[in-house]
Amino acid sequence: MTDVQELLLSRIRDVADYPEPGVMFKDITPLLADPAAFTALTDALAAVAASTGATKIVGLEARGFILGAPVAVRAGLGFIPVRKAGKLPGATLSQAYDLEYGSAEIEVHPEDLSAADRVLIVDDVLATGGTAEASIELIRRAGAEVAGLAVLMELGFLDGRARLEPALAGAPLEALLVV
């Protein structure tokens, strides 16, 4: 494990039985509160953006906004929010996806992406991969290319990577930590 990985992992707090009994929630708020750890995280994700040749960063609601916006600034790229349905004003492009107990929908302003864009998707956690898979489809439908997906933490036991690799079609999936 690298020094950066050790620092990041040391600032993630386990919260038992949240949001429901039997779940061990990985709380990143201590990491965000530590300027050295947050800077290390931002720098690591900005390096992923550079290595993929990204021209834009997409942040997935909500913690993907917290991580993606400073990564975009650090990398000198534009930031595009992908939001839950009904949260963006004006015309949007939407993508529905299934959850364990129901469905959800995400949206983007299509004019924020073009065929010239290579988009790195940034989020905090890769779990089952449903939201990330929907965002990949949404970005492609907006006409842009998916440069990759970068997350702080992958919950390996949920096997989201296996779900996403076909959708990514060779674009990299970078997880700074796998738990």
Side-chain angles (χ1 to χ4, degrees):
M1 185 173 287
T2 69
D3 290 345
V4 169
Q5 289 173 314
E6 286 181 15
L7 173 63
L8 298 176
L9 194 56
S10 75
R11 300 305 188 272
I12 297 171
R13 177 176 63 136
D14 286 342
V15 179
D17 299 320
Y18 182 83
E20 60 186 52
V23 173
M24 181 64 72
F25 185 79
K26 300 294 187 183
D27 180 15
I28 69 167
T29 58
L31 187 157
L32 300 173
D34 179 330
F38 196 14
T39 298
L41 171 59
T42 302
D43 289 347
L45 292 173
V48 173
S51 74
T52 64
T55 61
K56 298 243 174 98
I57 301 292
V58 155
L60 304 182
E61 188 165 343
R63 289 180 298 266
F65 295 177
I66 296 168
L67 304 184
V71 168
V73 169
R74 175 76 79 210
L77 305 174
F79 175 77
I80 311 298
V82 168
R83 305 240 21 217
K84 294 176 184 172
K87 300 291 184 180
L88 288 172
T92 60
L93 189 60
S94 65
Q95 180 67 40
Y97 61 101
D98 291 326
L99 299 168
E100 187 175 355
Y101 299 106
S103 62
E105 192 172 355
I106 54 175
E107 296 179 330
V108 70
H109 284 135
E111 68 272 11
D112 292 340
L113 296 169
S114 74
D117 287 319
R118 289 183 44 80
V119 179
L120 178 67
I121 303 161
V122 172
D123 206 4
D124 65 329
V125 174
L126 170 58
T128 63
T131 308
E133 185 178 45
S135 70
I136 291 166
E137 179 63 25
L138 189 60
I139 290 163
R140 288 192 177 125
R141 287 181 48 225
E145 180 183 350
V146 175
L149 170 66
V151 296
L152 163 60
M153 183 175 17
E154 177 181 350
L155 305 180
F157 62 93
L158 292 176
D159 213 18
R161 181 177 291 268
R163 177 181 186 168
L164 291 177
E165 285 179 341
L168 283 165
L173 192 167
E174 297 288 338
L176 300 181
L177 302 170
V178 179
V179 296

